[in-house]
Amino acid sequence: MAIDTELNTKDKRINLFERGFKSRCENLSAMVRSKLGLKQDDPLPYKQLAGYLSVDIIELANLQHLGNDSKTYLASDEGNEWSAVTVASPKRVIVVANPSHSEARRSNSIMHELAHVILEHAAGRVYLTGDGFALRDYDDKQEVEADWLAGSLLLPRVALEKLARLHTPKTAALSEYSVSSDLYDFRRRMTAINRQFKGR
Amino acid sequence: MKREVLMEELGVRLREKRQLLGIGIREAAGKIGISQATLSRIEVGKMPDLDTFTKLCDWLEVDPNTILGAKKPAASVVGFSDATGQIFAHLRAKKTMNPDTTLHLAKLIEAAQKEL
């Protein structure tokens, strides 16, 4: 699914949020930056946040127990239906992201997974049968919450406000915060920054 | 039975029931409680998520094991107790996927779990 489609779908699912959730995300974004010694409007690299949360990001190619056929398929156009996976035990949390995606998209996907960790979302069940048939849970509420927190972590409102105030060109903003054009537009719309700075 | 065949069979059963009732995808999706787009994708062989699969089996009035091709006695619709493995993970992916993608993702999740 293209990111813009994901975001359009997300627009329609926003009513799944509990009251105060969006403010909580902005607060979490500020708190995390503070813990990491960053200013509230600084970019937040996913590697830095993963380190703070003790989450290991492993490249698909480096998974020792995965066959080459799966590695090839999951990095191909045909297998381009996934963005990231998180597995966890009490001792370790691992995130694997799709290596074929752009860095901006991987950044959003990994932040989405880290958001699941921050929000302490219960992992979904994946059922495997003997012939390799797999089914999994899909929790709309958890997914939309993780989407929103990921966006807030990458581009908090204070950062969008700074970028608008400084008239930072969009391309420079995308590069500085390592986000996609779709996510940038989405966040500006959802935080009403585009209306606040209209015509300025 | 191969996964593609299983999914094709599910799609065929859904189309047959719709035709039997004389209703279109939109109406059937409404009765099942899923979106029209999701039902369309599954009818052409895409893999549903667990919740959608359960709803489809309820609407078809079939034991999920019939579709899964399980050899063991029937499992409850919710429990799928015949499944050889139940693991836990967060997965950011399309809600419905190609059967091959789900298979390789399942292998990825298993491999990642071995790293824990």
Side-chain angles (χ1 to χ4, degrees), chain A residues 104-121:
Chain A
R105 189 166 176 191
R106 275 171 58 85
S107 172
N108 190 29
S109 299
I110 292 170
M111 278 298 191
H112 172 102
E113 297 304 307
L114 299 178
H116 280 308
V117 175
I118 292 170
L119 294 170
E120 298 182 333
H121 284 159

Side-chain angles (χ1 to χ4, degrees), chain A residues 1 6 60 63-66 70 73-74 78-79 81-89 92 94 108-109 112-113 116 121-138 140 142 147, chain B residues 1 3 6-7 46-51 53 68 78-80 82-98 100-116:
Chain A
M1 187 188 294
E6 285 179 5
L60 181 70
L63 278 174
Q64 291 182 6
H65 303 282
L66 186 64
S70 293
Y73 180 89
L74 290 170
E78 194 183 359
E81 295 178 301
W82 70 289
S83 296
V85 168
T86 300
V87 295
S89 74
R92 195 178 185 200
I94 291 174
N108 190 29
S109 299
H112 172 102
E113 297 304 307
H116 280 308
H121 284 159
R125 293 165 300 171
V126 179
Y127 287 95
L128 308 173
T129 62
D131 56 6
F133 190 98
L135 288 166
R136 52 141 182 166
D137 279 331
Y138 189 95
D140 269 332
Q142 284 195 3
D147 274 344
Chain B
M1 196 182 292
R3 299 173 311 284
L6 291 168
M7 282 297 95
K46 297 282 184 178
M47 199 82 149
D49 64 86
L50 193 54
D51 183 48
F53 181 70
L68 292 171
V78 177
F80 295 106
D82 64 300
T84 55
Q86 179 183 329
I87 52 182
F88 293 85
H90 285 295
L91 171 58
R92 182 169 166 81
K94 284 185 176 181
K95 195 167 182 180
T96 55
M97 292 182 286
N98 286 316
D100 276 345
T101 306
T102 60
L103 170 69
H104 289 294
L105 278 173
K107 288 182 176 177
L108 185 162
I109 291 166
E110 280 188 305
Q113 286 227 323
K114 287 177 183 169
E115 303 270 355
L116 292 174

Side-chain angles (χ1 to χ4, degrees), chain A residues 4-58:
Chain A
D4 57 346
T5 313
E6 285 179 5
L7 294 175
N8 287 334
T9 307
K10 196 159 57 181
D11 276 352
K12 295 169 191 164
R13 294 186 295 161
I14 280 170
N15 58 4
L16 289 170
F17 292 139
E18 287 171 13
R19 189 176 174 82
F21 179 77
K22 293 180 200 172
S23 300
R24 186 182 161 208
C25 289
E26 293 292 331
N27 291 338
L28 281 168
S29 177
M31 187 192 77
V32 162
R33 281 173 165 78
S34 171
K35 296 269 186 191
L36 292 169
L38 300 171
K39 286 190 289 182
Q40 293 197 9
D41 50 14
D42 277 345
L44 174 59
Y46 65 80
K47 286 179 183 169
Q48 204 170 345
L49 179 58
Y52 171 68
L53 296 171
S54 300
V55 172
D56 293 327
I57 298 164
I58 296 186

